[in-house]
Amino acid sequence: MLISGIEGFAQRYNFEQYDIRDGLVQSQVTAITQDKERRLWIATLGGLSCFNGNQFINMGKTNGLNSNFILSLALDQQVNLLIGTERGLSTYKEGRFHNFKGKNDWVDRLNTSPSGIVYGISGKNVFKLNGPKAEHISITGDTSEIVTTLKTDHKHQIWATVFRHGLYYLKAEKWHQKLRYEELGDLIITDMMVDQFEKDKVWFLTTTGVFVTENGTVKPAYADIIKKATAINQDERGNIWLGTNRGAWYISKHQRIHFNAQNGFTDNVVSQIFRDAENNIWLGTDGSGIFKFNSKNYVTFDESQGLQNSIVMSIINGPGPDEIWLGTYDGLFVHKNNQIKRINIPSENEDTKRINFLFKDSSHNIWIGTVGGGLWIYSKGTFKRVDGGNSAITSNAIMEDRYKNIWISTNLGCFMLMPKAGKIQWISKNFETSLLEIGNNLIITGTQNGAYLIRNKKDIKPLNFKPLAGSSILSMLKYGSYVLFGTADNGVIIWNFSTGKIKQLSTKDGLSSDHVYSLLLDKKGVIWIGTGRGINKLNPKDFSITTNTNENVPLVECNQNAILESNGKIWIGTTKGVVVYDNNTETATLNRPYIFINSASILAQNKKGTQNNLQVTYKGHELNQKVKLTYQHNHLNINFTGIYLTNPKSVLYKYRLIGLDDKYSPLNGNTSVNYTALPPGQYSFQVKAVTSSGISSLHTATFNFEITPPYYQTTIFKVFIIVLILLLILFSVYVILNLNERKRKLRLKIKLEEQFKIRKQTAEDFHDDLGNKLTRISVLSEVLSSMTDENDLEKRSIIQKIKTNVNELYTGTKDILWSLDPKHDTIGELLNYIKEFGYEMFNDTPIHFEEETTINDSDKRLSLEMSRNILMIFKEAINNALKYSNADCINFTAKMNDNLLEITLTDNGRGFNLESAKNGHGMNNMQVRASRIKGNLNITSNHNGTTIALSVKF
């Protein structure tokens, strides 16, 4: 075998570098820390940088910091960023710097205790910051002590090393000695670390090397590889990372790796090693910025490691032990003993270097298919061309069946070589792309127009089922009774050739791309899928895409059938070299993105409603409280950030506004959202960060706000309007009723005035006319009586009756005339008339008539009906008392109680039977008259006398 002298290191590790070209303020990194929102803060000798995974925000002296020469960073419990510089101590919070006065010396090694007190080193002594003042303290009591380092362990306990005194730790704000001077000696300790996984194990970096203490014994560590270390940290699995003056070391129980410029890192001094909340390892350097170590689970081989072409088309195990052969578009290469070397094929044809396919048969022969350079076989150290020199043939795939026959798919069709018989059989004339044996004399060939089943080397039938028909088949894999087809545009098609059932996997199911180049079943039973946009894993139990828990995977374009498992590693050929996965490595811890809302800008609509003006922006702690906005401030721009330092480019967002939206928006890369013309109401904005592989943030960032309605939309105003309307209605009704009442009273007044006039006129006319007529009748009766013989008793008797009737009629008309006269319509006139009637009736009789009236408002007017009926009731009562009572005393009283007129006629006569009296007309008439005026007439009678009481309410 011909092997050229071109060689290179076997692998390149996966570091991602950030320096001034990416936005870092300066490339000499002195400290790294992380805040609660998972942003990285990077201290440099040229200022301060804040990194969210996508962009840097730089700050320094021009923003208020006391110096750009920063030495240390820490966070206190109030989320203030503490900054130690060459000119003292500063803090930063919510966009503002505060510089402490009176401390202008350099400040280094800042740490925060669990109780919130900040400790640091200044002038080789320890100080503590408790509130606004900093004070120097002594750990040992020795005023000349020299503190060389302060460090916080994973439990946030602070440790300190004091030169020639020992190791101390802080507990309950008191220092306790852990190691004495006798145990540490004169070691000048520059940094230290308390082991997170092994108890009582402490690592020390000194000017003379690395030391470790276990059970109180201090001894050197890794002296064979590291002379001096500059930084130390520990990853999530307990592996040790050491920074040196030339790159960094990764040390585990089974492996030691020196990261330097030759394998993807740098040869610069590593000054800081930081592990973030997602367990990413960050390395700060002195001149090369910061590096993030993406993953040790995979490495890359490309042109920087010895390959002359990064397009790797095929990979196989070589004929020698631990050899991996790589076919590229610039020739054949072999990986062995951590080196890559070229293998020269003895041909002057340049197309021979365009390797399209490699295959190793059961006899350990290597078959090499080229594009235009022929088909070659390597056997026992010798290359031989086997295609007869036909340069028009391009070999796309090679397979060996169970009968040791070699199947070759080419652009001219499918051929079968029978080595034992020395024959070649042309099986089909389709453009073949892939081959697969699924049973005895059952071969599937993939073409650019579907797949074909070849039975007994001659019976060829197309597999006509959707969506396989018409697809370009790039790769195939048999798994039990299933065949998986990798297609150029339809993803993975899974066919159960026993039942005929079909299943399709595409990007909708989580596949990185619908362009599937390679398929592999590893020894763990996992199916690997190489696509045009990355690598997926498939669970064969249910053919579901396995969610990638380690987002540090390269976004590569895989090549057709360029996949191999060898010694627990998966080799995948891509357009940018070979990616090699360590399949024995533990699955990485599932990291989730973090989401927070940066700000909410409130815009107000102008009077025309066409222009928005910035009014106010809410940030920081203001977003944790419910914000009240007026109805005019109803245009919002909400800005948010998802932090996923593991793979920042994979972060997507979904959000909703409760009160307006019920469902989350589709995933998108927008980091802000606008809401315009929001109606008044209660709102809650919620946003989540989701990676491209579907890993969602544990929490949801929320911003609650309320848009208050205008006064005319408030409940109070609506109630007020309703009450006002009701009042207006009631007022209108009142006015209408009042007007109607006034009209009624006016009409009544007019009517009464008319009645008054009519009554007065009637009374006058009646008095004048009827009185004259009665007087004339009386006079004529007198004349007639004088003309009649005195002995003519019969005529005289008639004349006397006429005179009596005239008198009675006059007397009756007198009452009518009295009633008709309006001037008598008062209580006083009525009562006086009744009293006069009483006196007149009982005059010249043995009956004594008494009266007593106590009426204050005697001028209160009565209606004609009331006056007439009261008069007639008591005239009837007086007549009855005169005729039937046989009394010697009659008492008439009247009084007024609140609008209630009470009139009583009492006698001391013999009384009468009320039941028998009810049959008479007098008693009934009295009751009828009382009911007409809605009065209450009460009559009582016994042997002691009779009382008639009438009460009438005005």
Side-chain angles (χ1 to χ4, degrees):
M1 179 173 67
L2 300 176
I3 300 178
S4 71
I6 299 176
E7 62 183 55
F9 289 92
Q11 55 204 15
R12 178 173 58 84
Y13 291 96
N14 303 288
F15 288 91
E16 193 167 353
Q17 181 184 10
Y18 300 91
D19 57 17
I20 58 173
R21 293 170 296 182
D22 305 289
L24 187 65
V25 65
Q26 204 256 0
S27 294
Q28 292 174 282
V29 178
T30 58
I32 304 173
T33 191
Q34 190 174 30
D35 61 24
K36 68 171 186 176
E37 293 171 338
R38 296 196 182 178
R39 295 172 296 191
L40 286 184
W41 293 85
I42 302 107
T44 75
L45 299 183
L48 180 66
S49 289
C50 179
F51 184 52
N52 64 8
N54 291 305
Q55 63 180 357
F56 289 88
I57 298 175
N58 298 323
M59 291 161 279
K61 193 170 183 179
T62 56
N63 305 104
L65 187 62
N66 57 18
S67 173
N68 286 336
F69 200 92
I70 305 173
L71 302 171
S72 181
L73 297 174
L75 287 164
D76 65 12
Q77 289 186 332
Q78 287 75 38
V79 202
N80 295 304
L81 179 67
L82 300 166
I83 308 162
T85 73
E86 63 166 344
R87 292 185 177 272
L89 182 64
S90 299
T91 61
Y92 176 83
K93 186 176 183 180
E94 296 179 2
R96 293 184 179 182
F97 287 98
H98 170 70
N99 300 315
F100 285 82
K101 296 181 180 180
K103 179 170 275 300
N104 297 323
D105 297 331
W106 58 267
V107 173
D108 197 5
R109 310 285 182 167
L110 291 172
N111 292 270
T112 305
S113 71
S115 62
I117 299 177
V118 177
Y119 291 82
I121 296 178
S122 178
K124 299 182 181 180
N125 298 117
V126 175
F127 70 89
K128 72 175 182 178
L129 182 68
N130 192 2
K133 295 183 179 180
E135 59 177 317
H136 282 281
I137 63 171
S138 175
I139 295 176
T140 64
D142 184 357
T143 56
S144 62
E145 69 182 14
I146 299 174
V147 180
T148 59
T149 186
L150 281 178
K151 196 68 173 286
T152 305
D153 64 15
H154 60 281
K155 295 181 180 179
H156 305 290
Q157 191 172 60
I158 298 178
W159 295 73
T161 58
V162 184
F163 181 62
R164 291 185 176 178
H165 281 84
L167 174 66
Y168 295 81
Y169 64 92
L170 185 67
K171 186 175 183 180
E173 303 308 325
K174 291 184 179 181
W175 292 97
H176 304 270
Q177 192 175 41
K178 181 69 175 179
L179 293 176
R180 300 186 305 275
Y181 165 65
E182 292 79 7
E183 295 164 319
L184 283 179
D186 291 332
L187 291 175
I188 300 176
I189 299 172
T190 58
D191 201 357
M192 61 164 289
M193 183 190 73
V194 179
D195 198 292
Q196 182 179 346
F197 296 90
E198 295 188 40
K199 188 177 181 181
D200 295 329
K201 187 174 185 178
V202 183
W203 298 80
F204 299 103
L205 307 186
T206 74
T207 56
T208 56
V210 181
F211 289 79
V212 62
T213 175
E214 292 181 280
N215 301 321
T217 301
V218 180
K219 58 184 179 181
Y222 314 124
D224 55 330
I225 59 173
I226 300 175
K227 301 302 179 185
K228 182 181 179 181
T230 54
I232 186 170
N233 212 326
Q234 199 170 22
D235 65 21
E236 60 178 323
R237 295 192 176 95
N239 304 312
I240 302 298
W241 288 74
L242 289 165
T244 72
N245 289 331
R246 186 178 175 83
W249 281 86
Y250 166 85
I251 301 172
S252 67
K253 294 181 179 179
H254 310 289
Q255 193 177 24
R256 296 179 179 182
I257 303 174
H258 183 206
F259 298 121
N260 52 39
Q262 294 178 326
N263 57 15
F265 190 51
T266 180
D267 286 337
N268 260 329
V269 176
V270 176
S271 55
Q272 285 288 319
I273 300 177
F274 178 75
R275 190 177 98 193
D276 67 21
E278 299 171 19
N279 294 312
N280 298 305
I281 296 296
W282 297 82
L283 300 102
T285 69
D286 186 13
S288 298
I290 59 174
F291 289 79
K292 183 183 73 171
F293 181 66
N294 281 332
S295 176
K296 199 175 67 65
N297 292 347
Y298 71 93
V299 294
T300 305
F301 302 94
D302 56 19
E303 293 171 323
S304 63
Q305 279 75 47
L307 288 176
Q308 298 303 299
N309 190 289
S310 61
I311 302 177
V312 179
M313 298 300 298
S314 188
I315 309 171
I316 61 165
N317 286 306
D322 298 325
E323 286 185 348
I324 301 294
W325 282 34
L326 309 171
T328 75
Y329 271 1
D330 190 39
L332 188 62
F333 294 84
V334 60
H335 173 272
K336 186 176 182 180
N337 298 328
N338 285 333
Q339 290 184 337
I340 293 177
K341 297 181 180 180
R342 179 186 286 276
I343 301 175
N344 292 318
I345 299 175
S347 173
E348 295 181 358
N349 186 354
E350 285 295 321
D351 289 337
T352 305
K353 292 183 179 181
R354 300 182 65 193
I355 309 298
N356 200 41
F357 201 90
L358 297 175
F359 177 74
K360 182 179 179 181
D361 64 20
S362 58
S363 301
H364 300 284
N365 299 315
I366 306 296
W367 296 78
I368 306 159
T370 70
V371 180
L375 177 64
W376 296 74
I377 186 172
Y378 175 81
S379 179
K380 298 177 181 181
T382 304
F383 286 97
K384 179 181 179 182
R385 187 167 180 174
V386 295
D387 62 348
N390 190 342
S391 299
I393 296 178
T394 297
S395 300
N396 297 316
I398 303 176
M399 182 198 75
E400 183 179 23
D401 65 18
R402 64 187 61 189
Y403 300 108
K404 311 298 181 183
N405 298 316
I406 301 298
W407 292 68
I408 305 170
S409 64
T410 72
N411 58 326
L412 299 179
C414 180
F415 298 88
M416 185 184 70
L417 279 65
M418 294 173 282
K420 293 182 179 180
K423 295 180 180 180
I424 298 178
Q425 183 177 348
W426 197 349
I427 303 298
S428 72
K429 297 182 180 181
N430 294 317
F431 189 108
E432 307 288 348
T433 56
S434 55
L435 292 163
L436 179 68
E437 182 180 25
I438 64 171
N440 188 18
N441 286 321
L442 291 175
I443 306 295
I444 296 178
T445 62
T447 74
Q448 292 183 329
N449 189 25
Y452 292 82
L453 179 64
I454 303 176
R455 190 186 302 271
N456 297 321
K457 305 178 184 63
K458 57 183 179 180
D459 186 10
I460 304 175
K461 291 184 179 181
L463 296 175
N464 290 323
F465 52 80
K466 294 182 179 180
L468 187 66
S471 294
S472 179
I473 311 300
L474 303 180
S475 58
M476 293 183 290
L477 174 69
K478 181 177 180 294
Y479 177 78
S481 59
Y482 294 92
V483 174
L484 283 74
F485 299 90
T487 70
D489 47 15
N490 288 324
V492 178
I493 299 169
I494 303 169
W495 173 45
N496 188 326
F497 53 81
S498 297
T499 63
K501 291 184 178 180
I502 302 295
K503 181 178 180 179
Q504 183 180 7
L505 297 177
S506 66
T507 51
K508 294 180 180 179
D509 305 293
L511 205 61
S512 297
S513 171
D514 291 331
H515 214 93
V516 178
Y517 286 101
S518 53
L519 296 166
L520 172 72
L521 177 67
D522 67 16
K523 293 181 180 179
K524 293 183 178 181
V526 176
I527 297 174
W528 292 68
I529 304 173
T531 76
R533 287 185 58 83
I535 300 161
N536 295 105
K537 293 181 182 180
L538 192 66
N539 184 353
K541 294 181 180 179
D542 57 359
F543 295 110
S544 61
I545 303 294
T546 302
T547 301
N548 183 23
T549 58
N550 181 6
E551 286 289 328
N552 289 312
V553 293
L555 183 61
V556 293
E557 183 178 0
C558 301
N559 285 327
Q560 184 179 357
N561 290 314
I563 189 166
L564 172 73
E565 182 178 20
S566 178
N567 295 326
K569 295 182 179 180
I570 308 296
W571 295 66
I572 302 175
T574 75
T575 58
K576 294 184 178 180
V578 179
V579 178
V580 182
Y581 284 89
D582 188 351
N583 210 21
N584 296 318
T585 305
E586 298 179 14
T587 304
T589 304
L590 177 63
N591 296 321
R592 295 184 179 273
Y594 186 88
I595 183 72
F596 63 94
I597 299 175
N598 294 319
S599 63
S601 299
I602 313 301
L603 306 173
Q605 191 176 39
N606 64 9
K607 294 181 179 179
K608 295 182 179 179
T610 57
Q611 182 180 357
N612 295 329
N613 299 316
L614 181 63
Q615 297 294 316
V616 66
T617 298
Y618 293 92
K619 292 182 178 180
H621 67 278
E622 297 175 315
L623 296 170
N624 298 327
Q625 303 172 355
K626 187 175 181 180
V627 175
K628 278 194 174 184
L629 307 173
T630 64
Y631 71 96
Q632 294 172 323
H633 295 173
N634 59 350
H635 294 233
L636 278 78
N637 176 267
I638 302 175
N639 186 276
F640 42 84
T641 299
I643 304 290
Y644 193 53
L645 298 176
T646 304
N647 188 3
K649 295 180 181 179
S650 71
V651 177
L652 300 172
Y653 303 93
K654 62 179 182 180
Y655 43 79
R656 65 179 176 180
L657 184 62
I658 297 177
L660 184 67
D661 307 319
D662 293 329
K663 297 181 179 179
Y664 279 99
S665 67
L667 288 174
N668 60 81
N670 299 330
T671 58
S672 66
V673 60
N674 289 311
Y675 293 100
T676 60
L678 288 174
Q682 304 276 349
Y683 295 96
S684 178
F685 176 76
Q686 297 179 343
V687 59
K688 288 185 176 183
V690 184
T691 68
S692 55
S693 59
I695 302 174
S696 177
S697 55
L698 280 175
H699 76 293
T700 302
T702 304
F703 170 51
N704 297 314
F705 63 95
E706 176 186 0
I707 298 179
T708 58
Y711 71 91
Y712 51 82
Q713 290 183 357
T714 60
T715 303
I716 295 176
F717 183 80
K718 291 178 180 178
V719 171
F720 171 75
I721 291 299
I722 292 173
V723 171
L724 182 61
I725 292 173
L726 291 175
L727 290 176
L728 288 175
I729 292 173
L730 292 175
F731 179 74
S732 300
V733 172
Y734 170 77
V735 170
I736 293 172
L737 293 177
N738 193 42
L739 289 175
N740 290 336
E741 180 66 15
R742 292 178 64 181
K743 290 179 180 180
R744 185 188 69 81
K745 288 183 177 179
L746 182 60
R747 289 195 299 269
L748 179 60
K749 182 179 180 182
I750 295 171
K751 181 179 179 181
L752 291 175
E753 289 177 352
E754 291 295 326
Q755 289 179 352
F756 182 83
K757 293 178 181 180
I758 294 171
R759 286 173 59 194
K760 186 175 182 180
Q761 187 66 39
T762 301
E764 291 176 353
D765 294 344
F766 191 78
H767 179 272
D768 294 341
D769 190 22
L770 184 60
N772 291 333
K773 294 292 190 293
L774 290 176
T775 301
R776 187 177 180 184
I777 293 172
S778 178
V779 171
L780 291 175
S781 298
E782 289 291 339
V783 173
L784 183 61
S785 176
S786 63
M787 294 175 61
T788 305
D789 188 1
E790 294 181 357
N791 296 322
D792 194 349
L793 298 175
E794 183 177 357
K795 290 180 181 178
R796 285 184 174 272
S797 175
I798 293 171
I799 293 170
Q800 186 62 38
K801 287 181 180 179
I802 292 171
K803 291 172 67 176
T804 302
N805 287 328
V806 168
N807 291 331
E808 290 179 355
L809 179 60
Y810 178 78
T811 302
T813 56
K814 183 180 178 182
D815 293 337
I816 294 172
L817 291 173
W818 184 89
S819 298
L820 284 175
D821 193 347
K823 68 180 182 181
H824 298 147
D825 289 347
T826 64
I827 296 176
E829 288 291 331
L830 173 64
L831 295 178
N832 288 334
Y833 190 80
I834 295 174
K835 289 188 289 182
E836 290 177 0
F837 178 77
Y839 283 120
E840 182 180 350
M841 290 297 293
F842 296 112
N843 191 21
D844 299 331
T845 66
I847 300 175
H848 177 67
F849 180 74
E850 297 179 351
E851 54 85 15
E852 181 182 359
T853 58
T854 54
I855 304 298
N856 295 327
D857 192 6
S858 60
D859 293 331
K860 197 166 187 178
R861 301 193 69 82
L862 300 173
S863 64
L864 174 63
E865 182 181 13
M866 183 174 289
S867 177
R868 175 68 178 167
N869 284 291
I870 292 174
L871 175 62
M872 298 309 293
I873 289 173
F874 282 95
K875 283 186 69 175
E876 179 70 21
I878 290 171
N879 279 321
N880 290 337
L882 178 63
K883 291 180 181 179
Y884 308 113
S885 67
N886 197 21
D888 56 9
C889 182
I890 293 177
N891 188 21
F892 175 77
T893 62
K895 61 181 179 179
M896 180 77 74
N897 290 325
D898 294 331
N899 291 331
L900 182 67
L901 177 63
E902 296 178 351
I903 305 174
T904 306
L905 184 70
T906 305
D907 66 55
N908 59 356
R910 59 188 177 184
F912 60 90
N913 190 331
L914 291 175
E915 294 298 326
S916 60
K918 289 180 180 179
N919 297 324
H921 293 289
M923 295 291 290
N924 288 334
N925 288 338
M926 293 170 67
Q927 291 290 350
V928 170
R929 291 183 182 278
S931 63
R932 285 177 184 171
I933 60 175
K934 297 180 181 179
N936 183 21
L937 182 65
N938 186 21
I939 301 174
T940 59
S941 182
N942 52 39
H943 64 279
N944 292 323
T946 301
T947 300
I948 298 173
L950 173 68
S951 59
V952 180
K953 189 173 184 180
F954 286 87

